[in-house]
């Protein structure tokens, strides 16, 4: 899916998100959940990802997602469908060692790893072991559009108006004085 970023109306953003915005508006790992067919949920740490996602790869993807600017971040979009590629513990250790070798030891990467170096490390780590199952672009588009359409809408019926809040507050204050 070389033109993945042109297929979907989805925008990668830094950090975790309670729900996707109308333009996607999630981090790479949250987008990867939806693309793989999981229900949307915020991803605050790698442990929030299902076991079919490679921990070292998702960790690197999260770091790259969160440390770069909004325009550069969109270059991660083609990787969204490739993160659900967890393999045996031995392969996951090889992936982690490869990333550590490329970026720093024991995942103590520089705070601002150069994006190009990180992107190369991501591509190399993804070449090790099992590859994610191919997902048809139409299916991914439909899943991501469905996630955007399921964004909770504020329920105006349950919320008191400002006027009602003020009356209740001032009324309670007047009763306590009198």
């Amino acid at each position: 899916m070389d033109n993945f970023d042109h297929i979907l109306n989805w925008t990668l953003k830094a950090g975790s998100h309670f729900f996707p915005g109308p333009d996607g508006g999630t981090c790479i790992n949250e987008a990867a959940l939806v693309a793989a067919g999981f229900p949307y949920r915020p991803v605050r740490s790698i442990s929030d990802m299902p076991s079919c996602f490679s921990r070292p790869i998702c960790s690197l993807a999260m770091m790259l997602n969160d440390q770069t600017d909004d325009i550069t971040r969109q270059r991660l979009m083609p990787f969204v469908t490739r993160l659900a590629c967890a393999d045996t513990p031995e392969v996951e250790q090889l992936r982690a060692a490869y990333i550590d070798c490329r970026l720093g030891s024991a995942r103590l990467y520089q705070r601002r790893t150069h994006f190009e170096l990180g992107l190369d490390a991501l591509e190399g780590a993804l070449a090790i072991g099992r590859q994610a199952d191919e997902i048809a672009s139409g299916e991914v588009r439909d899943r991501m559009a469905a996630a955007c359409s399921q964004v909770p809408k504020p329920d105006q019926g349950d919320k008191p108006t400002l006027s009602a809040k003020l009356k209740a507050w001032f009324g309670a204050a007047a009763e306590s004085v009198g």
Side-chain angles (χ1 to χ4, degrees):
M1 255 190 259
D2 294 330
N3 293 323
F4 188 75
D5 53 347
H6 300 295
I7 295 171
L8 302 172
N9 183 25
W10 199 270
T11 302
L12 296 178
K13 296 187 177 184
S16 179
H17 305 87
F18 183 67
F19 54 83
D23 62 346
T26 67
C27 75
I28 186 170
N29 289 316
E30 292 163 344
L33 280 173
V34 173
F38 290 92
Y40 180 81
R41 67 176 179 233
V43 175
R44 292 180 180 84
S45 76
I46 299 310
S47 62
D48 293 335
M49 299 297 286
S51 62
C52 64
F53 285 83
S54 170
R55 297 299 191 254
I57 289 172
C58 286
S59 179
L60 175 57
M62 181 180 282
M63 181 195 70
L64 291 171
N65 181 87
D66 290 347
Q67 78 169 14
T68 195
D69 62 78
D70 291 338
I71 294 169
T72 305
R73 182 176 302 108
Q74 304 321 305
R75 292 179 54 204
L76 292 170
M77 189 60 83
F79 295 95
V80 166
T81 60
R82 299 176 63 194
L83 304 184
C85 62
D87 207 319
T88 65
E90 295 79 19
V91 170
E92 293 302 305
Q93 288 175 352
L94 283 173
R95 288 172 169 167
Y98 176 84
I99 293 168
D100 288 348
C101 180
R102 296 293 305 268
L103 303 181
S105 63
R107 292 189 193 84
L108 298 175
Y109 314 133
Q110 296 176 1
R111 176 120 173 97
R112 299 299 261 174
T113 298
H114 189 272
F115 186 81
E116 296 303 325
L117 183 62
L119 205 58
D120 288 344
L122 182 59
E123 190 67 60
L126 282 163
I128 299 169
R130 185 180 86 75
Q131 306 300 297
D133 296 334
E134 186 85 19
I135 308 170
S137 60
E139 189 173 351
V140 173
R141 182 187 60 243
D142 293 347
R143 288 174 179 172
M144 296 180 103
C148 286
S149 70
Q150 293 173 3
V151 172
K153 305 286 188 241
D155 185 5
Q156 298 301 325
D158 293 343
K159 294 185 179 181
T161 64
L162 178 59
S163 173
K165 287 180 185 178
L166 290 172
K167 285 179 184 176
W169 185 75
F170 285 118
E175 289 174 14
S176 66
V177 173

